[in-house]
Amino acid sequence: MHSLSEVKLGIVGLGYVGLPLAVEFASKYDVVGLDINPARIAELRAGKDSSLEVEPERLIAATRMRYTADPGDLADCNVYVVTVPTPIDDYKRPDLTPLEKASQALGGVIKQGDVVIFESTVYPGATEEVCVPIMEKVSGLRYNQDFYCGYSPERINPGDKEHRVTTIKKVTSGSTPEVADFVDTLYASIIVAGTHKASSIRVAEAAKVIENTQRDVNIALINELALIFERLGIDTLEVLEAAGTKWNFLPFRPGLVGGHCIGVDPYYLTHKAQEIGYLPEVILAGRRINDGMGAHVAERVVKMMTQRRIHVVGSNVLIMGLTFKENCPDLRNTRVVDIIAELGSYHANVEVYDPWVNPAEAEHEYGITPIQTIENGRYDAVILAVAHRQFTSMGAQAIRALGKPEHVLFDVKYVLPADQVDARL
């Protein structure tokens, strides 16, 4: 194992997690950043980050950082940090393909004494049950004799300029006590918020996966309450604001649960739980509720249109926002697509407008081509799906002007006051 003065870092994956981390490490260490997307490497070399997580001036200032699409360029490194995505497949099962490919690539470059640290969200045990055997097989090296591992789960919040890499406390762990100390010291050298050293890799893996599972279940409860209050004719936000006057009431809001974490991570935990013979009832119930909210929004809009004698078939519906959260270009696992799909089943003409989205990415990921401009008086229904600042600054009058004289305005994100919209969650 190496001392901090000898560290040469290789960061595998330069997305929302990997790039900010790599830039922070590059303030103190030599860093090689690897991404399999040549276009991503080209833009980073040009000082541009399309994810908008790192400012151009910070990219340019990271002089100890170099970018590559060739895993062979990691050969001179001795500490590696893996920040590749861990998505789910169409059947909501963990898709470990990116993690397995990263492990294969690292197996080809790791050497005696090297340390591989994983940040990707996984189920407890995945690092040592999936990644380590691959690296052992490819490298011919032995785990905890020739090379070592650590796990330090990412806590990046895309689009959040307040909670950054260095200001969020970091959980760390290692495959031996000595490695755990090394990994903790390495992260402590850049994380001003401090670190929390877990007793094992499995504990750190479990801590990460329950962070978002807890949020998911809490949001599911609020979503279910919203479904109940709708039937009772009570405004959900008013109820939550009233209940929120109690000091220990948790301030969750109903909505669509997407993104690369909250809508995905619980399935990693439930997969592992079922593998060991336990059916996780509460977590899966929460997932079912949250996964159904997009269709619920569409059905409410269709019902209101029908009540107003607006023909749904052939109608023009505007969806404002496609990303999974506000003020961020991240499209990963956005549940706005569920609204679009449900409206499409009624043969409505759905147009999507989102000034934050890369149109080519939307087309590639979802087959959706966002419109570039919106025109007044065109739409039979307008759905405020994401609370981008461009939308909140428009105000009710400007948003209403997009609709025909008779239209439905549905506010998913509580952008507007209740008396200025036709319905909201």
Side-chain angles (χ1 to χ4, degrees):
M1 216 169 33
H2 311 277
S3 67
L4 288 190
S5 62
E6 301 171 316
V7 165
K8 293 183 178 179
L9 275 158
I11 309 291
V12 182
L14 296 175
Y16 286 85
V17 175
L19 181 65
L21 183 71
V23 169
E24 290 298 340
F25 271 130
S27 66
K28 296 202 172 187
Y29 308 97
D30 291 331
V31 177
V32 179
L34 170 72
D35 199 283
I36 59 171
N37 182 356
R40 177 67 166 164
I41 296 301
E43 73 169 24
L44 292 175
R45 285 175 176 167
K48 181 177 182 296
D49 171 26
S50 59
S51 73
L52 307 181
E53 290 299 307
V54 179
E55 298 78 9
E57 58 270 20
R58 295 193 66 223
L59 282 178
I60 294 168
T63 56
R64 298 181 71 175
M65 175 93 185
R66 61 190 181 97
Y67 307 101
T68 183
D70 181 4
D73 289 338
L74 298 176
D76 290 337
C77 299
N78 48 35
V79 178
Y80 308 87
V81 182
V82 180
T83 61
V84 298
T86 43
I88 52 175
D89 63 19
D90 292 341
Y91 303 99
K92 305 191 186 305
R93 298 174 305 197
D95 179 4
L96 297 177
T97 305
L99 205 56
E100 291 167 347
K101 288 184 176 178
S103 300
Q104 289 170 351
L106 288 174
V109 295
I110 56 173
K111 306 168 297 300
Q112 186 80 29
D114 286 358
V115 178
V116 182
I117 305 165
F118 292 87
E119 289 212 3
S120 306
T121 303
V122 291
Y123 52 77
T127 298
E128 292 170 300
E129 295 166 11
V130 176
C131 303
V132 165
I134 293 172
M135 290 188 290
E136 282 187 319
K137 182 177 180 180
V138 175
S139 68
L141 300 176
R142 291 166 298 176
Y143 178 51
N144 279 342
Q145 293 184 46
D146 303 318
F147 75 98
Y148 307 88
C149 283
Y151 185 82
S152 181
E154 59 90 358
R155 280 177 165 170
I156 294 293
N157 189 24
D160 189 338
K161 299 307 179 185
E162 180 183 353
H163 301 99
R164 310 299 295 266
V165 173
T166 59
T167 62
I168 304 171
K169 195 160 192 171
K170 202 84 163 70
V171 174
T172 66
S173 64
S175 55
T176 70
E178 295 76 20
V179 173
D181 289 341
F182 170 78
V183 172
D184 192 69
T185 305
L186 176 67
Y187 279 101
S189 69
I190 63 164
I191 306 293
V192 296
T195 59
H196 174 93
K197 185 170 62 175
S199 63
S200 69
I201 287 176
R202 286 164 63 89
V203 167
E205 290 169 327
K208 169 58 184 174
V209 81
I210 72 162
E211 286 175 20
N212 292 315
T213 300
Q214 183 187 64
R215 285 183 58 77
D216 191 46
V217 171
N218 274 299
I219 297 170
L221 172 62
I222 303 302
N223 275 336
E224 186 163 59
L225 293 175
L227 299 176
I228 295 169
F229 295 145
E230 175 207 336
R231 288 161 173 77
L232 292 173
I234 303 172
D235 185 83
T236 301
L237 185 59
E238 285 189 39
V239 175
L240 294 175
E241 287 174 340
T245 59
K246 188 165 186 274
W247 75 92
N248 59 355
F249 187 82
L250 301 177
F252 287 94
R253 294 286 184 267
L256 307 176
V257 183
H260 68 298
C261 285
I262 301 179
V264 173
D265 296 355
Y267 287 120
Y268 274 75
L269 184 56
T270 57
H271 167 82
K272 188 63 178 179
Q274 289 170 306
E275 189 179 84
I276 58 173
Y278 180 80
L279 180 64
E281 298 181 51
V282 172
I283 299 171
L284 288 175
R287 281 281 73 235
R288 284 193 294 273
I289 291 170
N290 288 342
D291 279 346
M293 292 307 290
H296 170 73
V297 168
E299 288 162 5
R300 284 189 67 184
V301 170
V302 167
K303 184 176 181 179
M304 285 187 293
M305 291 172 70
T306 303
Q307 289 169 340
R308 297 179 184 199
R309 292 181 169 81
I310 300 173
H311 289 291
V312 177
V313 175
S315 63
N316 294 322
V317 179
L318 175 65
I319 308 282
M320 298 181 71
L322 180 60
T323 60
F324 92 88
K325 67 181 291 188
E326 66 276 3
N327 305 324
C328 170
D330 196 344
L331 286 173
R332 288 175 295 176
N333 193 38
T334 173
R335 297 325 325 151
V336 178
V337 296
D338 298 339
I339 302 176
I340 298 168
E342 189 68 18
L343 289 170
S345 71
Y346 287 96
H347 302 290
N349 299 317
V350 181
E351 294 182 356
V352 179
Y353 176 68
D354 193 324
W356 286 84
V357 163
N358 179 327
E361 186 181 351
E363 175 66 40
H364 178 264
E365 293 295 327
Y366 300 107
I368 296 169
T369 304
I371 59 175
Q372 298 305 298
T373 57
I374 44 179
E375 57 183 273
N376 288 346
R378 172 173 170 76
Y379 299 101
D380 298 288
V382 177
I383 302 175
L384 269 165
V386 186
H388 290 315
R389 57 174 175 259
Q390 290 91 334
F391 302 157
T392 59
S393 64
M394 287 176 69
Q397 187 173 350
I399 293 173
R400 281 284 190 192
L402 298 169
K404 295 177 180 178
E406 185 66 36
H407 69 274
V408 170
L409 174 56
F410 191 99
D411 187 357
V412 176
K413 296 294 291 184
Y414 301 96
V415 171
L416 301 172
D419 60 356
Q420 295 178 5
V421 300
D422 296 306
R424 57 189 192 177
L425 271 182

